[in-house]
Amino acid sequence: MKIIEWKLIQGNEKISKEPLKLLFSGSQTDFAYIKKLVYKDKCDVVMNGKMPASLFLFIARRNYYNCDLLFFQYKRNSCIDVKSSEYCVPLWVGSTVSLPLVAKNNSSKSDIRLIRKNNLEYRIVDFSESVDDFYYNYWIPTIKIRYPEKNVYRERDTWNKYRCELLVVSDGTSDIAGALIRYDENHPYLWRNGLRYGNMSFCCKGAMAATYYFVSEYLYLKGYKSLYLGLSRAFLSDGVFQYKRKWGGVLKSVNNYAYILRVYCDSRGVKSFLINNSFISIYKGEFVSTLFYDCCNNYNRDDYLYGGVGGVRFIDINNKML
């Protein structure tokens, strides 16, 4: 019987500043992500504990702790069922792009202009000789800035288990970014990328965009027709999700874990969170964009029909929410 950890958090919702009480069960990394998504500043863990997953879910669904929202992390191939009043939100969704990479929107076109303006170029370096430099001086500093709660020191040994190539981006004077390309059964994957010393000012030169653009160019010249861009969060406001989308990323995979999202009440804090945090959910076996709206919102359905998404599910925040 699986024992899970859970937390009861109380604070003010990020946008509305209204009180919101959240019941959460999942990993520490995912707790940090959800906490940042829901709350702006200070929030308090007012209760926590451990119990069998089945017992926790039994208690949670009856709202024993008088909460506003539930996020429950579970394995999708387990015996846990998602109720009709709940939402299945993948922890991560995977994106794939077709090659050659084609800039189809103003943002990606602007990135390519920036790359060319700064005369950025790339080269493939010897993996065995350069991988530690990339790991310690590119990837770790960048990740620690973006995700300070992430434990980055465990995975170096796993890099040697895969067939990889290392691409380095230069501005003509010095190296400023790098990308680790992994090959899974001959399918390329832009696995890791980072800025030298975590220097975010290199983004102004187009360095991070160049890792996507040059990896795609390099692989296309080698004869590949697609590139896996990896995982991103399933919330549509997520910066990584939007970044991969602008390059034409199509949702083609999901990892084995998801959240059960359950809404207990229609408080102002809950409404604000749901309206401002649309997400990809799994509904009737396919990806759908899930949007909560009220009379003040004006959504264009086409803006949420991403590649790989089967439809858009609009939910009136004032009707049929619970």
Side-chain angles (χ1 to χ4, degrees):
M1 183 178 299
K2 183 179 180 181
I3 304 297
I4 56 96
E5 297 184 9
W6 59 272
K7 297 178 177 69
L8 182 61
I9 310 103
Q10 195 154 6
N12 293 327
E13 190 270 334
K14 183 183 291 187
I15 305 299
S16 67
K17 311 296 191 298
E18 295 287 343
L20 192 152
K21 188 187 290 186
L22 170 68
L23 185 59
F24 177 88
S25 174
S27 71
Q28 190 60 35
T29 299
D30 292 309
F31 170 65
Y33 176 79
I34 293 296
K35 184 173 69 171
K36 189 182 296 185
L37 194 68
V38 177
Y39 301 107
K40 179 175 177 58
D41 297 311
K42 186 176 183 295
C43 62
D44 298 310
V45 177
V46 296
M47 194 180 300
N48 62 81
K50 297 180 180 181
M51 66 176 70
S54 56
L55 177 60
F56 171 81
L57 206 51
F58 177 84
I59 292 173
R61 281 172 167 161
R62 283 150 184 80
N63 202 12
Y64 180 82
Y65 297 110
N66 193 28
C67 300
D68 302 319
L69 285 178
L70 164 70
F71 276 93
F72 174 74
Q73 183 180 319
Y74 75 106
K75 198 167 186 178
R76 291 183 57 231
N77 60 2
S78 67
C79 59
I80 293 173
D81 293 324
V82 181
K83 305 299 183 184
S84 60
S85 59
E86 298 169 340
Y87 304 92
C88 176
V89 184
L91 257 67
W92 302 93
V93 291
S95 300
T96 298
V97 290
S98 297
L99 301 180
L101 204 61
V102 178
K104 296 182 179 180
N105 52 66
N106 291 334
S107 180
S108 55
K109 290 176 182 177
S110 175
D111 280 350
I112 293 174
R113 286 196 297 269
L114 193 60
I115 291 167
R116 292 171 177 167
K117 175 185 175 182
N118 288 291
N119 298 312
L120 301 188
E121 55 190 14
Y122 76 91
R123 69 185 188 280
I124 301 297
V125 299
D126 184 272
F127 176 78
S128 60
E129 293 181 1
S130 304
V131 65
D132 283 335
D133 177 47
F134 172 75
Y135 179 72
Y136 289 108
N137 295 319
Y138 291 73
W139 188 70
I140 284 182
T142 304
I143 289 297
K144 294 305 288 183
I145 291 171
R146 288 178 165 180
Y147 311 106
E149 71 284 348
K150 184 178 177 65
N151 186 340
V152 297
Y153 297 102
R154 293 181 176 179
E155 72 163 63
R156 171 62 186 89
D157 290 340
T158 67
W159 291 13
N160 293 326
K161 298 177 181 179
Y162 299 95
R163 183 166 68 91
C164 296
E165 286 188 297
L166 190 56
L167 179 146
V168 173
V169 177
S170 170
D171 63 2
T173 302
S174 59
D175 297 334
I176 59 175
L180 188 64
I181 307 167
R182 175 175 130 188
Y183 296 89
D184 293 339
E185 297 180 354
N186 211 35
H187 298 295
Y189 170 13
L190 202 172
W191 192 21
R192 300 287 185 261
N193 57 2
L195 302 168
R196 188 161 183 82
Y197 304 130
N199 189 340
M200 302 308 288
S201 68
F202 290 150
C203 287
C204 298
K205 290 186 172 185
M208 191 59 80
T211 62
Y212 287 84
Y213 183 68
F214 286 145
V215 165
S216 301
E217 179 180 275
Y218 170 68
L219 291 169
Y220 177 66
L221 292 174
K222 289 184 69 174
Y224 290 98
K225 302 300 183 184
S226 65
L227 167 65
Y228 180 52
L229 296 181
L231 299 173
S232 53
R233 295 291 185 175
F235 286 88
L236 306 190
S237 60
D238 182 77
V240 177
F241 177 91
Q242 289 295 337
Y243 195 82
K244 292 175 181 178
R245 179 201 172 202
K246 82 174 184 179
W247 290 109
V250 175
L251 301 185
K252 286 194 173 180
S253 68
V254 60
N255 77 338
N256 290 330
Y257 289 88
Y259 298 113
I260 288 177
L261 170 59
R262 189 178 182 96
V263 181
Y264 293 116
C265 74
D266 59 354
S267 69
R268 287 195 291 265
V270 168
K271 287 182 177 180
S272 176
F273 172 75
L274 294 173
I275 286 174
N276 290 288
N277 292 281
S278 303
F279 51 84
I280 299 294
S281 66
I282 299 173
Y283 181 65
K284 296 183 178 179
E286 64 179 359
F287 288 134
V288 296
S289 296
T290 304
L291 287 79
F292 291 84
Y293 72 95
D294 63 17
C295 59
C296 299
N297 298 108
N298 184 20
Y299 292 116
N300 181 351
R301 185 184 188 89
D302 291 343
D303 290 341
Y304 299 91
L305 282 173
Y306 311 118
V309 169
V312 182
R313 189 181 180 195
F314 288 101
I315 301 171
D316 187 344
I317 200 78
N318 298 306
N319 184 33
K320 295 183 180 178
M321 187 179 72
L322 303 179

